[in-house]
Amino acid sequence: MKRSLFKDNLKYLTSVFLSIVAALIIGALIMVANGRSPGVGYMALLNGAFGSKYNLANTFAKTVPLILTGLATAISFESGIFNIGGEGQLYLGAFAAAYIGFTFPSLPKGVGIILAILFAAAIGGLYALIPAILKIKYKIDEVITTIMLNSVAVLLTDYLVNYPFAGTGQGKMGATEMIADKYQFTRLVRLSTLNTSIFFMLGISIVMYYIMKKTSWGYDFKMTGQNERFAKYGGVKTKKQMIIAMVISGALCGIAGAFEVLGIHYRFLQNISPGYAFDGMLVAMIVKNSPLGILIMSIFFGGLKTGSISMENATSIPSELVLVIQSIIILFLAGETGFKKKIKEMMLKRKKSEKAVKDSAKSAF
Amino acid sequence: MLSQLFNLTLIQHTIRTATPLVLAALGGLLTEHAGILNIGMEGMILLGSFFGIVGSYFFSSSLMGVLLAVVAGIIIGIIYGFFVVELGSDEFIIGIAINIFASGLTVFLLRSIFGVKGAFSSPDIVPLPKLSFPGLDNIPILNVIFNNHSIFVYISWILVALIYIYLYKTPKGIWLRASGEYPEALETVGVSSKKMKYTSSIACGVLCSFAGAHLSLGYLTLFTENMSADRGFIAVAAIIFGGANPIKTFAAAMMFGFFDALGIRMQVMGVPSQFTQMIPYVVTIIALVIVTKNHMNKIKKGKEKEEGAY
């Protein structure tokens, strides 16, 4: 049992690897089509992602929102309820953390930080509760409602930072007041955005790994996702399980938003996230919701993000190329099982036709 | 105050904002009848918008814009069909992948072709022609409803009728519906359900490219990143709301368009734009709640009747 599991994983890892290679080749072809050298481009990308302490720090800083939103995706998808609303939950969570940070500047440091994180988690979780209840009670497709709620949350925070909570001395973009100095996470490497939130994130990841992999509770989530009816027979309360998964998912996204505020911007900014939750979702989808896989794939994606800027400087290939590469990886992987089946069928056909040729040759004698 | 809000301009705006929804929803209901809920329409619309601009800009012709958009629509329809029908991948995941792919590709191409970030507009982009029927302009209400729209508005109306006839009055339409509901039965009469599903995804790609071209060449004359702005998903909601019936879906899309237009009008009146922009999203959710609640009530009543009969 264990061995076949390992074998399955190995097979899937090969597929992931091949998909990445294929996507990188397509990326190289695009560079060639634009008259640039892919060798120079990818070297610059690699260097920009991992080449120096500063670059490495920025890459790891990027993993914080990716891993949190990736885990958020994993727990919801595993339970068979699809939370595509991470971006909205992240925005609301970020605003909630900032709100605590600038409204209660005189709390003890630890209390203020914990309160900000918990409030962000609560707001994110509650916001995810809406589509969860609509799904359980009215069977309304959560994919559509969560996407609609993303736009609502982004617009709502946009309103909040431009009207009732507009900070003084802001530039063109809407932003709140700064949070109190003592709540701001310390930077770990000078000038980079890497900050102590990475330790919080690691702690949360370990808890999530434990819940998803080592507890019967995690098993229940998986059962709910894989076969609702079977899980019901097995005594799992699937509806309750789905709602809990959704709330945890929303809370994680809210925390991801809180860390953007506490660790990087020190206030809430309009357009604070360039789609972190969607990137996190991609990461989780690529590794089929494995917590460990999310950790590794987030480093890869974080590297693509920071490295792409160096690539742009070196080759003038727009950094957005990595967006194309990312989406091609997921397209290939989504078709993975289908591709395998197709190849098997083709081989089978070939074998059959070979056999038929042999048979007919035999009967000729 | 109310007359400022509810006037002829509102009708005009409704028609304009509803048209991309109508076109995409018509495409999506074709795949829906073939048993595929297409979440990827969002990306398909976006590609249509982008390639519409590319064609119109480089060939100085709006027709070439539409043509290029349609080519993109056909290609993305084939890709979608290949993954969902041929490889049997999860239609939902492929839909999301298509959306992410379209968003990444258009942002990348926007920079590598036009060298700009965010948005591209140019006087060299030729917008779609606007049609007017002489004689109608004397009657204000008919003038507003029927005149001075970009060509896709009329095309969308014609398509509603054509697709209705196709689905319910032609053998091919019956095959298409059977491919979603009774694929085995369809196979026994010698029609490949796979082929019908493929056709529907390509048709959906084309109709979404119409929606996209209407957005970038008819409704506006520019391209902005992610300009499809969740219209693909609102179109899905319209399909659910309209029960995948072309006429009812058209009505649902018009309703969503109306609220979108209402938001634009309210903005003119000084309501913060953030709230007016929220309206279509909130209305979509409320509409879904209403339609499923009614549906569930019907089922309940049906059951009670059955029980009563015994």
Side-chain angles (χ1 to χ4, degrees):
Chain A
M1 176 72 193
K2 226 177 184 169
R3 209 160 146 202
S4 78
L5 205 72
F6 176 73
K7 227 173 142 187
D8 277 353
N9 277 336
L10 198 70
K11 267 190 190 158
Y12 188 69
L13 279 180
T14 330
S15 301
V16 172
F17 181 74
L18 286 177
S19 297
I20 291 175
V21 169
L24 289 177
I25 289 173
I26 292 175
L29 290 176
I30 294 175
M31 286 192 216
V32 172
N34 279 280
R36 314 268 182 249
S37 151
V40 174
Y42 280 134
M43 270 317 284
L45 191 138
L46 196 67
N47 221 342
F50 306 106
S52 70
K53 195 175 161 191
Y54 166 76
N55 292 344
L56 203 62
N58 276 337
T59 295
F60 277 105
K62 287 266 187 292
T63 62
V64 176
L66 285 181
I67 291 174
L68 288 172
T69 54
L71 289 170
T73 307
I75 190 150
S76 80
F77 280 30
E78 282 281 278
S79 313
I81 185 163
F82 294 95
N83 180 15
I84 320 285
E87 194 71 2
Q89 292 140 17
L90 190 153
Y91 267 80
L92 289 187
F95 184 84
Y99 177 80
I100 299 286
F102 62 72
T103 321
F104 306 107
S106 42
L107 296 171
K109 183 179 171 181
V111 177
I113 289 174
I114 297 291
L115 194 65
I117 295 174
L118 286 181
F119 191 47
I123 294 290
L126 279 177
Y127 200 53
L129 188 62
I130 301 172
I133 288 178
L134 290 179
K135 157 104 174 172
I136 302 300
K137 231 182 148 183
Y138 299 116
K139 297 208 162 55
I140 297 173
D141 195 300
E142 73 281 15
V143 172
I144 294 170
T145 50
T146 49
I147 286 169
M148 297 292 125
L149 287 171
N150 274 340
S151 304
V152 173
V154 172
L155 287 167
L156 180 66
T157 52
D158 195 331
Y159 168 76
L160 291 174
V161 298
N162 279 301
Y163 294 97
F165 293 99
T168 43
Q170 49 170 305
K172 236 165 85 187
M173 265 226 286
T176 62
E177 295 287 352
M178 298 291 264
I179 59 170
D181 283 345
K182 59 186 168 189
Y183 302 149
Q184 299 175 5
F185 289 165
T186 27
R187 300 268 156 114
L188 297 172
V189 173
R190 236 170 64 85
L191 296 175
S192 82
T193 48
L194 185 65
N195 59 74
T196 40
S197 69
I198 198 164
F199 300 123
F200 283 92
M201 181 275 286
L202 283 173
I204 294 169
S205 306
I206 291 167
V207 173
M208 286 303 294
Y209 176 84
Y210 188 76
I211 290 177
M212 286 176 71
K213 289 285 167 191
K214 301 286 174 201
T215 63
S216 63
W217 213 42
Y219 184 73
D220 288 350
F221 280 123
K222 207 165 172 160
M223 285 320 299
T224 313
Q226 277 173 350
N227 191 338
E228 205 181 324
R229 194 175 291 169
F230 184 71
K232 256 186 201 157
Y233 282 128
V236 181
K237 293 190 183 79
T238 52
K239 284 182 181 172
K240 199 175 151 202
Q241 205 77 25
M242 277 189 185
I243 290 182
I244 294 172
M246 199 68 169
V247 170
I248 294 178
S249 179
L252 286 172
C253 293
I255 293 173
F259 288 163
E260 285 303 297
V261 168
L262 300 172
I264 295 176
H265 304 290
Y266 306 139
R267 56 181 176 173
F268 180 87
L269 290 170
Q270 176 184 340
N271 305 327
I272 195 165
S273 158
Y276 284 131
F278 288 104
D279 288 337
M281 185 174 76
L282 271 190
V283 165
M285 279 160 76
I286 287 174
V287 298
K288 279 190 178 165
N289 307 325
S290 139
L292 204 64
I294 289 171
L295 202 74
I296 297 162
M297 198 47 72
S298 289
I299 297 172
F300 176 69
F301 265 48
L304 277 182
K305 284 235 172 311
T306 48
S308 62
I309 308 294
S310 308
M311 179 189 75
E312 181 171 328
N313 291 336
T315 62
S316 74
I317 286 274
S319 58
E320 286 82 2
L321 179 66
V322 300
L323 297 178
V324 180
I325 293 176
Q326 285 174 3
S327 53
I328 291 176
I329 297 175
I330 188 70
L331 209 53
F332 277 133
L333 277 173
E336 186 240 4
T337 39
F339 275 127
K340 271 190 190 154
K341 230 170 65 192
K342 266 266 132 36
I343 292 169
K344 254 189 199 159
E345 271 172 23
M346 261 154 61
M347 298 229 282
L348 219 74
K349 253 190 198 162
R350 209 197 242 164
K351 259 189 194 162
K352 260 190 191 162
S353 62
E354 270 174 19
K355 210 182 162 205
V357 170
K358 268 186 197 164
D359 285 349
S360 62
K362 259 184 203 165
S363 60
F365 285 107
Chain B
M1 168 121 174
L2 273 178
S3 64
Q4 222 182 331
L5 203 58
F6 295 98
N7 53 21
L8 289 177
T9 329
L10 183 66
I11 300 177
Q12 203 167 19
H13 277 183
T14 300
I15 293 171
R16 260 181 223 165
T17 49
T19 299
L21 299 177
V22 172
L23 288 165
L26 286 175
L29 72 84
L30 289 178
T31 59
E32 174 72 17
H33 278 292
I36 306 168
L37 182 65
N38 188 354
I39 299 281
M41 287 196 287
E42 176 74 6
M44 293 179 172
I45 298 173
L46 190 60
L47 288 173
S49 296
F50 183 77
F51 285 101
I53 285 288
V54 171
S56 175
Y57 177 79
F58 284 106
F59 298 98
S60 316
S61 139
S62 59
L63 182 69
M64 283 307 289
V66 173
L67 235 99
L68 206 62
V70 168
V71 170
I74 291 173
I75 293 175
I76 201 72
I78 291 174
I79 294 176
Y80 185 79
F82 176 75
F83 278 102
V84 173
V85 182
E86 196 77 39
L87 298 183
S89 310
D90 189 309
E91 65 201 48
F92 160 73
I93 289 179
I94 294 297
I96 290 185
I98 294 264
N99 293 339
I100 292 167
F101 174 70
S103 155
L105 186 72
T106 49
V107 171
F108 171 71
L109 290 178
L110 188 65
R111 282 206 63 200
S112 64
I113 295 177
F114 300 113
V116 292
K117 259 185 180 177
F120 175 71
S121 67
S122 152
D124 293 334
I125 301 170
V126 184
L128 285 163
K130 288 200 161 107
L131 292 191
S132 281
F133 300 99
L136 286 183
D137 38 356
N138 297 323
I139 314 156
I141 185 134
L142 293 183
N143 183 35
V144 163
I145 297 176
F146 292 107
N147 271 354
N148 210 21
H149 295 306
S150 116
I151 189 153
F152 274 119
V153 172
Y154 307 100
I155 293 178
S156 73
W157 293 344
I158 296 168
L159 280 171
V160 173
L162 285 184
I163 288 176
Y164 183 82
I165 294 168
Y166 168 79
L167 276 177
Y168 299 106
K169 310 279 175 209
T170 69
K172 282 217 166 141
I174 295 168
W175 292 350
L176 181 77
R177 284 186 291 142
S179 73
E181 281 174 57
Y182 318 103
E184 294 89 1
L186 191 64
E187 299 283 347
T188 53
V189 291
V191 180
S192 156
S193 68
K194 221 172 167 183
K195 209 172 130 194
M196 295 314 295
K197 284 176 192 236
Y198 242 119
T199 318
S200 75
S201 10
I202 293 168
C204 182
V206 171
L207 283 166
C208 287
S209 76
F210 282 178
H214 171 77
L215 271 183
S216 63
L217 296 174
Y219 186 62
L220 300 161
T221 315
L222 58 95
F223 179 84
T224 59
E225 279 176 21
N226 296 321
M227 80 182 295
S228 42
D230 293 346
R231 285 186 177 85
F233 300 111
I234 296 179
V236 173
I239 296 165
I240 296 173
F241 201 73
N245 173 305
I247 293 164
K248 286 183 190 161
T249 304
F250 171 75
M254 287 302 272
M255 181 195 72
F256 290 129
F258 168 77
F259 282 107
D260 205 350
L262 194 67
I264 298 171
R265 295 298 303 159
M266 282 162 77
Q267 213 168 312
V268 177
M269 292 173 58
V271 178
S273 63
Q274 289 92 346
F275 286 118
T276 60
Q277 283 171 34
M278 258 182 227
I279 292 175
Y281 306 111
V282 175
V283 167
T284 304
I285 295 175
I286 295 172
L288 285 174
V289 173
I290 293 171
V291 73
T292 43
K293 225 180 164 180
N294 280 345
H295 187 67
M296 283 161 100
N297 279 344
K298 259 187 208 161
I299 292 172
K300 236 189 202 167
K301 270 186 193 158
K303 266 188 188 161
E304 276 166 14
K305 257 189 197 165
E306 262 175 35
E307 278 164 12
Y310 288 104

